[in-house]
């Protein structure tokens, strides 16, 4: 049984005061959630503030990207060892906003993924198709290429302990969510692609869904067999929404996903 994981991606939002208010409302509730793994990815400048607030809680700290180089002349960038020093456990890699707006290629994604994993942190590999690609029937081919780029570099073993997030680009920040069936279909495809190399690694890989997850669609998404959690953007900035999303993914007593 895969422990559900819900990650809040704050993107480029926040301030000391706003973060404080959000954490003050959420942490007492999220800290109680033993059957669910929760992580928050604030912007770099707030990692220290959020990390301090999370210390002693059950909520993990994550970052939104990392530079693959260990140090040196990379103005404006942040290395994985710096993120580790700040207490990060998770690092997003290949988010579509970075692929589209900052030109991150599959090659860049692979380098980041490898550096994150080599530092002992958990890469959250984001994959997903654009609307044009979906309409052209290319969803599986696009997702397969993004995953195969990492497989080619690191082999199936590098997915052991990693996380994959399926995030259809057309659903991110648009208010359009993939239907639970669409999400399940792609998640099952990703798992089968990896299972063809190792059933055990594929079987324990958390595959998150991301793309306009809200409190009102989280439950039906969470009921899909291969949806093991969510990567939440906009709704993670609203304490009530995010807590309700977490609750929807929390295994319920008596449900097949209950681990108690
Ligand atoms: C994201 O940033 O990964 C995301 C899924 O955003 P949103 O939930 O706002 O669509």
């Amino acid at each position: 049984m895969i422990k559900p994981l819900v990650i809040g991606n704050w993107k480029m939002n926040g301030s000391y005061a706003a973060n404080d208010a959000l954490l003050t409302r959420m942490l007492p509730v999220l800290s109680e959630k033993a059957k669910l793994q929760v992580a928050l990815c604030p912007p770099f400048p707030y990692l220290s503030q959020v990390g301090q607030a999370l210390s002693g809680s059950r909520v993990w700290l994550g970052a939104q990207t990392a530079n693959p180089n260990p140090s040196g002349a990379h103005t404006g960038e942040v290395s994985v060892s710096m993120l580790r020093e700040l207490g990060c456990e998770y690092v997003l890699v290949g988010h579509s906003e970075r692929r589209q707006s900052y030109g991150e290629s599959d090659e860049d994604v692979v380098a980041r993924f490898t550096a994150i994993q080599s530092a002992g942190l958990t890469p959250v590999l984001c994959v997903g198709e654009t609307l044009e690609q979906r309409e052209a029937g290319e969803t599986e081919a696009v997702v397969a290429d993004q995953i195969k780029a990492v497989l080619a570099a690191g082999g199936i073993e590098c997915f052991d302990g990693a996380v994959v997030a399926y995030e259809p680009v057309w659903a991110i920040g648009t208010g359009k969510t993939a239907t639970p069936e669409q999400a399940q279909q792609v998640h099952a495809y990703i798992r089968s692609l990896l299972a063809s190399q190792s059933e055990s690694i594929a079987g324990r890989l958390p595959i998150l869904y991301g793309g306009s997850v809200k409190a009102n669609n989280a439950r039906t998404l969470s009921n899909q067999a291969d949806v093991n959690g969510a990567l939440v953007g906009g709704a993670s900035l609203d304490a009530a929404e995010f807590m309700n999303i977490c609750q929807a993914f929390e295994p319920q007593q008596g449900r097949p996903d209950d681990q108690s």
Side-chain angles (χ1 to χ4, degrees):
M1 177 52 62
I2 299 169
K3 190 172 190 178
L5 168 64
V6 178
I7 301 179
N9 172 17
W10 290 4
K11 311 196 189 202
M12 198 173 73
N13 294 293
S15 66
Y16 280 127
N19 305 343
D20 213 30
L22 193 56
L23 294 166
T24 302
R25 280 201 63 198
M26 293 195 307
L27 281 187
V29 175
L30 297 182
S31 296
E32 296 300 308
K33 303 220 174 285
K35 296 179 188 170
L36 180 75
Q37 188 104 334
V38 180
L40 299 176
C41 300
F44 290 143
Y46 300 124
L47 282 169
S48 173
Q49 178 201 17
V50 176
Q52 278 177 33
L54 299 187
S55 100
S57 81
R58 288 186 202 270
V59 181
W60 297 79
L61 187 65
Q64 298 174 17
T65 184
N67 186 283
N69 294 289
S71 62
H74 302 285
T75 303
E77 295 292 294
V78 172
S79 73
V80 287
S81 62
M82 294 171 185
L83 297 178
R84 200 181 44 204
E85 273 200 327
L86 282 158
C88 289
E89 171 58 35
Y90 295 94
V91 186
L92 308 185
V93 56
H95 191 283
S96 65
E97 288 158 13
R98 297 216 51 90
R99 290 183 192 259
Q100 291 200 321
S101 307
Y102 299 96
E104 273 184 26
S105 62
D106 276 341
E107 208 179 11
D108 296 321
V109 171
V110 168
R112 285 165 164 73
F113 185 104
T114 308
I116 294 162
Q117 205 159 47
S118 306
L121 306 185
T122 303
V124 180
L125 174 67
C126 304
V127 298
E129 81 287 3
T130 63
L131 187 58
E132 296 69 39
Q133 290 165 330
R134 174 162 281 268
E135 285 174 349
E138 293 168 2
T139 299
E140 291 186 355
V142 168
V143 167
D145 282 350
Q146 291 168 334
I147 291 193
K148 282 178 185 167
V150 177
L151 269 178
I156 184 66
E157 292 71 26
C158 76
F159 282 88
D160 208 5
V163 175
V164 170
Y166 168 56
E167 299 208 299
V169 179
W170 48 270
I172 297 181
T174 59
K176 289 185 201 154
T177 320
T179 64
E181 295 73 26
Q182 286 172 323
Q184 169 57 24
Q185 195 179 0
V186 181
H187 284 226
Y189 172 72
I190 292 170
R191 205 179 301 284
S192 71
L193 186 70
L194 295 169
S196 66
Q197 301 210 16
S198 167
E199 279 197 25
S200 55
I201 291 176
R204 53 179 179 260
L205 174 76
I207 307 178
L208 315 185
Y209 170 78
S212 298
V213 176
K214 307 275 183 254
N216 65 9
N217 57 29
R219 175 70 74 194
T220 48
L221 286 161
S222 76
N223 285 336
Q224 303 304 307
D226 289 293
V227 177
N228 310 118
L231 178 51
V232 184
S236 68
L237 297 167
D238 178 316
E241 278 283 309
F242 191 65
M243 288 188 292
N244 284 331
I245 292 168
C246 289
Q247 195 180 354
F249 278 91
E250 197 176 11
Q252 304 296 306
Q253 206 84 34
R255 270 179 28 167
D257 52 4
D258 178 29
Q259 297 168 52
S260 61

